[in-house]
């Protein structure tokens, strides 16, 4: 059995031929699905709309699964189990915030976007606030998506590097090239159907890890007993302190708005809503997406609890077996599956599937925004064939750009989950505020939304930089205690030499000061609140400036741009359809008619 060089250096098992076979099979199937959609003939002629929206003919289930796969990437595979290990099972409260987000998006944002028949969410900003706001929204989306996608490409590269010793740069570029290829060739349909396959692979990986880990620990009862003794079953955390990284309120308030900026107005997701065959199908797709999110987040958090039960007395990070929390999962997988060839490959396929789904989504969305918001007005005389070629070229360019940002992501000191959510909160949070002003506040005007965007963006960037330079202490964030006391003196071991069945021993609490006070406490705010704070500032500043400079008259806003007017517009449309149609007649030339001939007696 062939093992990696890295494994021999560390004494830990690495990937065998069976693992590489599983991984290669996942890549081959993903490419096959993507290419089959690209080569599939349709009754409709090729067009840019077909490339970016699938001809607006997609059903709810594949779109919903694609929505779930798009942002639940290798960030989930690495980040969620690690966070649940360190902070407890309260992490599943994120699902509550996601549920609130899905309901708000389905019934408040989707109707506006779908009925306008637009291809880019930023086109709404042009209709409501002018060309300048559309360009600003496009720029912010491109920046946020490039940064987010770079982190997502970096995550599985970390797994490959730690697990097999494969060169980091080879991992980064192989990830980017594969998804860039089938996205460039197949467009939206290729992205959606490969996402469907990849979300199944992701769930299979999490379930396999949970089952095997539970068996090794000694069964579900033992897992939850150890987790309870280690304070990991902590659903009663209702602390309102915003410095605590994860509480019920940080997920409900901060988490809901972070996810709303991703699902409510983000082009990558809006593009999927408008690809559905009807508005009702788009809303159903969001419900399918929510079911998928519960499964993915729940299974990932469960992996973290199983991992704690396994290492409750010998934490790999404290023992020096790994160098960062994001390495918990690859360490666990190579430990529990070292005698089961093929399963470590399933985990790698799980992480890689998440990455491919997210990167392909991002590339397609960035190409759509560039084409629809920046270039299309200058390409009025270009044929549909020419526009498709340009769209594919844009996909290729953005694929290369994402790989470049991924290489730079190796310099960040953030965990992958915090890094991704911070980027989306800092950049997408202010943009969400602009859409809220436009759709729900009739008085908002152009100076108001520009002023609000500037204030919100400056605040969120200041917070992100300050929290990076002055990070909060582990005690302040609420990291739960862990132990490495029994790593060298294992008095109870299983047949693989791991410590199990030992009562949890709580180590001393951290000795760092709880907080320095003043602005340092402000920097210590949970990263989940960054986007929520930015969105709130945009709305408040935008509203104030709008009233100072003269609010917009409601009757001057075009039909369909305000959420509150959607029902009225529907009623008016129905009345117009039911009313008798008066057809004007063309005037005829004057004709002299003899009165006697016209009215004979």
């Amino acid at each position: 059995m062939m093992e990696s060089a890295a494994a021999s250096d560390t004494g830990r098992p690495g990937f065998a031929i069976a693992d590489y076979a599983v991984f290669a099979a996942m890549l081959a199937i993903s490419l096959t699905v993507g290419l089959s959609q690209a080569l599939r003939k349709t009754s409709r002629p090729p067009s840019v709309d077909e490339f970016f929206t699938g001809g607006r003919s997609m059903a709810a289930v594949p779109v919903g699964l694609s929505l779930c796969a798009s942002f639940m990437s290798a960030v989930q595979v690495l980040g969620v189990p690690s966070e649940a290990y360190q902070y407890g099972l309260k992490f599943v409260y994120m699902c509550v915030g996601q549920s609130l987000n899905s309901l708000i998006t389905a019934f408040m944002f989707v109707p506006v976007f779908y009925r306008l028949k637009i291809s880019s969410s930023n086109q709404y900003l042009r209709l409501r606030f002018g060309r300048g706001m559309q360009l600003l929204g496009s720029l912010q989306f491109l920046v946020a998506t490039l940064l987010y996608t770079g982190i997502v490409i970096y995550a599985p590269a970390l797994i490959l590097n730690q697990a097999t010793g494969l060169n980091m740069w080879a991992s980064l570029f192989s990830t980017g090239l594969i998804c860039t290829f089938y996205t460039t060739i197949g467009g939206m349909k290729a992205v959606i159907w490969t996402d469907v396959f990849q979300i199944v692979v992701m769930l299979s990986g999490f379930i396999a890890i949970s089952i095997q880990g539970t068996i090794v620990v000694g069964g579900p009862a033992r897992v939850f007993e150890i987790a309870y003794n280690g304070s990991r079953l902590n659903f009663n955390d209702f602390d309102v302190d915003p410095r605590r990284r994860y509480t019920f309120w940080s997920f409900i308030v901060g988490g809901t708005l972070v996810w709303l900026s991703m699902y409510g107005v983000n082009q990558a997701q809006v593009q999927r809503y408008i690809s559905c065959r009807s508005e009702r199908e788009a809303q159903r797709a969001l419900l399918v997406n929510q079911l998928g999110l519960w499964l993915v987040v729940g299974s990932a958090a469960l992996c973290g609890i199983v991992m704690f039960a396994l290492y409750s007395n010998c934490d790999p990070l404290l023992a020096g077996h790994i160098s960062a929390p994001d390495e918990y999962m690859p360490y666990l997988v190579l430990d529990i599956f070292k005698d089961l060839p093929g399963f470590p490959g399933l985990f790698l396929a799980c992480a890689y599937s998440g990455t491919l789904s997210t990167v392909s989504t991002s590339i397609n969305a960035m190409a759509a925004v560039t084409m629809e918001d920046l270039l299309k007005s200058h390409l009025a005389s270009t044929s549909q064939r020419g526009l498709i070629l340009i769209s594919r070229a844009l996909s290729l360019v953005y694929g290369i750009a994402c790989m470049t940002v991924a290489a730079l992501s190796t310099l960040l000191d953030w965990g992958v989950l915090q890094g991704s959510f911070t980027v989306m909160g800092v950049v997408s949070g202010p943009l969400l505020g602009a859409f809220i002003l436009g759709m729900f506040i009739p008085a908002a005007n152009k100076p108001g939304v520009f002023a609000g965007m500037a204030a919100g963006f400056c605040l969120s960037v200041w917070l992100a930089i300050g929290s990076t330079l002055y990070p909060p202490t582990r005690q302040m964030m609420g990291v739960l205690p862990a132990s490495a006391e029994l790593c060298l003196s294992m008095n109870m071991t299983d047949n693989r030499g791991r410590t199990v069945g030992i009562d949890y021993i709580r180590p001393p609490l951290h000795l760092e000061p709880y907080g320095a006070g003043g602005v340092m406490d402000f920097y210590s705010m949970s990263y989940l609140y960054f986007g929520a704070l930015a969105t709130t500032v945009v709305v408040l500043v935008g509203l104030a400036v709008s009233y100072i400079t003269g609010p917009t008259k409601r009757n001057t806003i075009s039909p369909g741009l305000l959420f509150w007017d959607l029902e009225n517009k529907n009623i008016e449309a129905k009345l117009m359809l039911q009313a008798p149609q008066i057809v004007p007649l063309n005037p005829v030339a004057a004709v002299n008619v003899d009165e006697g001939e016209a009215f004979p007696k």
Side-chain angles (χ1 to χ4, degrees), residues 26-108:
M26 184 279 296
L27 293 179
I29 294 174
S30 294
L31 283 173
T32 301
V33 172
L35 290 176
S36 67
Q37 292 299 316
L39 300 175
R40 185 179 180 183
K41 294 183 179 179
T42 63
S43 58
R44 295 181 297 271
S47 66
V48 173
D49 188 65
E50 179 79 20
F51 185 80
F52 285 131
T53 67
R56 305 176 191 262
S57 61
M58 302 300 295
V61 173
V63 172
L65 294 177
S66 177
L67 287 168
C68 179
S70 297
F71 278 107
M72 312 310 288
S73 62
V75 169
Q76 287 292 102
V77 177
L78 283 171
V80 172
S82 171
E83 299 294 278
Y85 179 97
Q86 296 179 87
Y87 297 92
L89 202 55
K90 64 183 176 182
F91 196 88
V92 296
Y93 278 136
M94 174 176 283
C95 297
V96 180
Q98 291 168 338
S99 299
L100 292 175
N101 152 71
S102 293
L103 291 173
I104 294 171
T105 299
F107 297 105
M108 300 186 78

Side-chain angles (χ1 to χ4, degrees), residues 60-61 63-69 72 76 94-96 98-103 199 203 207 263 283-300:
V61 173
V63 172
L65 294 177
S66 177
L67 287 168
C68 179
M72 312 310 288
Q76 287 292 102
M94 174 176 283
C95 297
V96 180
Q98 291 168 338
S99 299
L100 292 175
N101 152 71
S102 293
L103 291 173
I199 195 66
L203 283 172
I207 292 171
Y263 279 84
Q283 292 171 328
R284 289 172 181 161
L286 271 162
L287 298 180
V288 172
N289 157 75
Q290 188 55 49
L291 292 175
L293 290 178
W294 274 95
L295 288 174
V296 172
V297 175
S299 59

Side-chain angles (χ1 to χ4, degrees), residues 587-593:
V588 297
V591 179
N592 294 324
V593 180

Side-chain angles (χ1 to χ4, degrees), residues 239-299:
D239 195 338
V240 296
D241 187 346
R243 298 172 301 178
R244 306 288 286 184
R245 188 182 182 97
Y246 299 125
T247 67
F248 175 83
W249 299 113
S250 67
F251 283 121
I252 297 301
V253 178
T256 298
L257 286 177
V258 167
W259 284 96
L260 193 59
S261 70
M262 293 182 181
Y263 279 84
V265 300
N266 187 285
Q267 170 65 19
Q269 309 299 57
V270 172
Q271 203 170 333
R272 280 160 174 69
Y273 308 148
I274 60 179
S275 72
C276 293
R277 61 171 66 110
S278 69
E279 180 183 325
R280 183 67 63 185
E281 285 289 291
Q283 292 171 328
R284 289 172 181 161
L286 271 162
L287 298 180
V288 172
N289 157 75
Q290 188 55 49
L291 292 175
L293 290 178
W294 274 95
L295 288 174
V296 172
V297 175
S299 59

